[in-house]
Amino acid sequence: MLLAIALAAAVAQPVSFVRNGGLDSPRSWHLPPAASIVNFNGRTCLRVHAGIAWQDIWVRPGWKRMSVAVDICVEQIDRREGGFAFAAVYQYDKATNLVTFRDFVQLRDRTAWKRYTWTFDVAPTAAYISLR
């Protein structure tokens, strides 16, 4: 599975939380052993063979709505154990309790590059948002 992810806050000046929108630096990402930052057809991408990669974003005061955009290309899915590729937004409070989550993409078959977007309300008790 290959992902290129960009996130922008729905505020007056959008902010990208993925450096240059292209995963140029893995420092902000938590990567499982079976994931890596690679070049694929001229794109810097997150390649995940197994497990979940995520990036946590601390919620800033005044954030009410956010938008997520993800470009996904799926090469192969191991369907023997019900596997699928996904993109999700999890919201946690200060005590790390899950407040809400949403898988806004679930793919079970090979796909060409496609962009998926989702706009959501930041939960009033959310301290950080986890992009997965």
Side-chain angles (χ1 to χ4, degrees):
M1 173 178 65
L2 297 175
L3 302 177
I5 302 173
L7 171 76
V11 295
Q13 183 68 24
V15 179
S16 174
F17 292 101
V18 179
R19 187 177 198 163
N20 297 327
L23 299 164
D24 294 334
S25 173
R27 290 180 301 212
S28 65
W29 285 88
H30 301 273
L31 302 177
S36 57
I37 307 287
V38 300
N39 184 296
F40 180 76
N41 293 337
R43 294 179 176 214
T44 303
C45 302
L46 174 60
R47 171 171 262 163
V48 180
H49 293 282
I52 299 170
W54 75 90
Q55 180 187 53
D56 293 336
I57 310 298
W58 288 98
V59 173
R60 294 182 185 165
W63 284 4
K64 303 248 186 260
R65 289 182 67 75
M66 297 186 76
S67 294
V68 178
V70 59
D71 296 316
I72 300 177
C73 169
V74 177
E75 293 178 316
Q76 181 179 342
I77 299 287
D78 185 352
R79 297 177 69 174
R80 291 177 293 186
E81 296 181 29
F84 61 95
F86 72 97
V89 174
Y90 285 58
Q91 297 185 53
Y92 292 90
D93 66 15
K94 289 179 184 176
T96 71
N97 297 308
L98 181 63
V99 175
T100 185
F101 76 95
R102 167 91 180 243
D103 286 3
F104 64 96
V105 178
Q106 288 190 358
L107 302 169
R108 290 177 171 75
D109 296 306
R110 183 182 177 129
T111 65
W113 284 105
K114 183 176 177 184
R115 174 159 286 205
Y116 301 88
T117 61
W118 185 54
T119 298
F120 61 96
D121 292 324
V122 176
T125 58
Y128 66 97
I129 295 167
S130 186
L131 306 175
R132 298 176 180 225

